[in-house]
Structures are given as C-alpha cells and as structure tokens.
Amino acid sequence: MAELAFDVLEEIMVPLDVKDVIRCKSVCKSWLSFISSPRFVKAHLNHYIKSDRDDHQLGHRRIHDRDSDHWNRIVGSCNGLVCVSPRDAEFLVTNPSTREERILQTPPNEFEEATKMSWGFGYDSYSDDYKAVVGLETTNKVVAGRVAPPPTRFHVFSLKSNTWRVIGEVEYQNMHARKGILCDGVLYWFMVGIKPEKLIIISFDLSTEELKKIPQPDDVDYKTIPFFEHKLGLIQDRLCIYPYHSSKIWVMVNNKWERCIDRQQSKYDFVHCLSRVTDSQNKRGCVYSFSHDDGHP
C-alpha cells in the first residue's frame, strides 16, 4: 500500500470506535499491520483524549472492578490499559477492549512476604514506556530504643525492559487507599509518618523515577479536618483532596493548592466496569473485558 493510502486510511480510521477498528484488523494483513503500528495506536488514542477534553460534561474516566472476587485488584489504568493483580505477587497488564493481556515478570520474593502495598500504573511519555509501581512495607526498624513502623520500599516494573527494579524507599506507610492517583505522569499517595497523625503526600514521577514529599494545603479549614478523612482524587485532570464528610475540596493549580468552593462545579465521571469473562484460548481460562467498551487497540 502506498504512503498516500496509509495517510488516507489513517484519516478514515482514527475517528472510528475501537470495536470497529478491531473488526478492520480482519480485512487483510496490511490493515492488521497498519492498525497494530505504534503510529496508528497513538493517533487513535490522541483523538479520543482530545474528544474527552472537548466534552464539557466529562470529568474523568475511571475503572471499576465489577467482580466480587477479593483477589481481582486494580493496580491502575492509563490510555485504555489496565494493570491488575489477580493474586498476591502476580501482576498483568490487559487491554479489556481487545482482550489482550501480558503477564508481568514474577516480582522479587519479598512481594510474597509484604503485609501492605502501595501501587500504581501509568505512562512515561519521556521513554514511551508503561510502568507499574509497587511500594512494599519492609521489616520494622529500632529507632531510639523502640520499634518504629517499617519504611516503604518502592519497586518499578518497565514493560519495555521487562524487569523489576528497586528505586528507593520512604520512611512512611500507606494510609488507607493503596492505589495511587495518576495525574500528568505522576503518581500520588497519602501516607503516614512514625506518628499516625503526621499525614504525608508522596509523589512518584514516572519519567524521572523520583520520590518526593508534596506540601499540603496551608488552610485552617484543612487542618481542622481529621487526617484519616482526607482522600486524593482528580477534578478536570487536576489533583485534588477531598474529605469524606465535607463539601470542601482543594485542587492543585500551578503547584499550589486552591479551594474549590462548589462541588457542583465538578463534572461527571464515566465509569468503565471491568469484568472477567471465560476464554478457552487463554491459559488462565479467562480474560478481562469492559462492560462499557471504550479502550484503545
């Protein structure tokens, strides 16, 4: 197929729904090769990201685990891909729209011994790579003659290199939500220090692989709310903090926290339900699929 034909084909196919694009893979080998190419995948993805941004009613897309199975845990999602931990010390990345998946390399033995984890998944635009990040609580330390809470050691898995690496540790523990909030290529977690009342926000930049402590809102109202009620989230692709039993919201704008007075200003989230379906061609006998199919090929 000539270069011009590829350009025309791309212009026609990029706006198509992902289900229709997947059907087009069966037309011929050249179409299969074209649709599977990184160029088309990125073009199709960017088209739908722009469509979301232009939709003034849509706030954020979220993945919800529809199954009641305790072990079907979502590590994170990005660009239509979902990282799942079906059982302890096992991770896989799946595209629920195409029902393709990749089981990640077996992590280090210490994953099986961990009692608590912080984790997340996202895209590193600098190296064009997807990464899974897992923080494990290590063994307790004795500080000033007393046993101190164990630090959290972070491991990162690169889909490109197919390896797990230790990238550092912090002297804090996961608080209540193990899944990190992904915002603009950075993962965020609420954690606690040696004293339970010492609340910390830890960030991990997927490109630089740096762990940092992030300042919290310097607001009297924020400080009066019990620390265990705070939760991280997203509003219009911006990091936010919202307490469970309060209408107050703080949003990160240009690296500073600002009050979002009215919750009604926030847009609705589109929820994609993740389910497991039977598949005889898969080694595990099942694959992951969206009830609302809106991923990318």
Side-chain angles (χ1 to χ4, degrees):
M1 203 181 305
E3 184 65 30
L4 177 61
F6 275 112
D7 291 339
V8 173
L9 194 60
E10 181 175 296
E11 186 174 344
I12 295 171
M13 286 191 175
V14 161
L16 294 180
D17 182 86
V18 65
K19 289 183 178 179
D20 294 326
V21 172
I22 292 172
R23 292 191 187 101
C24 289
K25 286 185 174 183
S26 303
V27 173
C28 61
K29 290 183 178 179
S30 60
W31 280 32
L32 172 62
S33 176
F34 171 73
I35 293 171
S36 303
S37 67
R39 167 181 166 173
F40 178 79
V41 171
K42 287 183 179 180
H44 191 262
L45 174 63
N46 290 336
H47 171 80
Y48 278 92
I49 289 176
K50 184 179 184 301
S51 296
D52 281 357
R53 288 174 178 166
D54 292 341
D55 185 344
H56 299 296
Q57 298 300 314
L58 178 63
H60 182 63
R61 293 185 183 273
R62 295 187 289 112
I63 309 295
H64 174 68
D65 180 9
R66 194 173 192 175
D67 296 332
S68 59
D69 184 353
H70 172 71
W71 296 110
N72 190 22
R73 299 168 297 188
I74 297 175
V75 175
S77 60
C78 182
N79 297 344
L81 300 181
V82 186
C83 185
V84 180
S85 177
R87 57 183 62 87
D88 282 342
E90 181 178 322
F91 298 86
L92 64 86
V93 173
T94 178
N95 184 329
S97 296
T98 62
R99 298 187 177 182
E100 297 171 312
E101 67 178 37
R102 172 178 166 183
I103 298 177
L104 306 190
Q105 184 186 68
T106 303
N109 293 334
E110 63 182 290
F111 275 59
E112 298 180 359
E113 303 170 0
T115 57
K116 218 178 213 182
M117 292 186 183
S118 304
W119 54 28
F121 176 76
Y123 175 65
D124 172 6
S125 59
Y126 180 77
S127 61
D128 189 23
D129 190 11
Y130 286 89
K131 296 176 179 179
V133 182
V134 181
L136 306 177
E137 284 193 11
T138 55
T139 56
N140 293 56
K141 289 184 177 181
V142 177
V143 179
R146 66 189 183 112
V147 177
T152 300
R153 179 177 297 134
F154 280 88
H155 300 247
V156 62
F157 181 88
S158 160
L159 266 68
K160 266 189 174 181
S161 65
N162 194 38
T163 56
W164 287 97
R165 292 178 289 110
V166 175
I167 47 91
E169 64 178 46
V170 295
E171 298 295 322
Y172 313 111
Q173 297 172 293
N174 177 270
M175 191 169 72
H176 46 64
R178 69 167 68 195
K179 185 167 72 173
I181 298 298
L182 178 65
C183 181
D184 196 23
V186 181
L187 288 164
Y188 297 88
W189 299 268
F190 259 134
M191 306 188 84
V192 291
I194 293 178
K195 294 182 179 181
E197 66 271 15
K198 187 178 180 181
L199 191 63
I200 305 294
I201 300 177
I202 292 296
S203 71
F204 176 77
D205 189 307
L206 290 163
S207 294
T208 63
E209 298 190 349
E210 290 182 336
L211 288 162
K212 292 182 179 180
K213 187 166 68 173
I214 302 299
Q216 297 176 60
D218 185 15
D219 187 319
V220 174
D221 288 341
Y222 178 81
K223 296 175 181 178
T224 59
I225 298 172
F227 80 93
F228 52 82
E229 291 193 6
H230 292 310
K231 190 173 181 181
L232 291 171
L234 289 174
I235 289 183
Q236 300 178 29
D237 293 327
R238 289 175 174 170
L239 185 70
C240 72
I241 300 175
Y242 62 97
Y244 283 112
H245 305 294
S246 174
S247 61
K248 300 179 179 68
I249 299 178
W250 288 265
V251 181
M252 180 70 81
V253 180
N254 297 325
N255 296 319
K256 293 183 179 180
W257 292 104
E258 296 183 1
R259 282 281 292 274
C260 179
I261 305 300
D262 186 1
R263 276 190 184 232
Q264 299 302 318
Q265 292 178 354
S266 59
K267 303 176 183 180
Y268 75 88
D269 284 359
F270 191 93
V271 180
H272 300 273
C273 296
L274 186 70
S275 301
R276 287 192 290 183
V277 296
T278 302
D279 187 341
S280 58
Q281 296 181 350
N282 187 279
K283 292 180 181 179
R284 298 183 301 108
C286 66
V287 294
Y288 291 90
S289 176
F290 279 141
S291 297
H292 300 290
D293 191 355
D294 196 56
H296 294 271

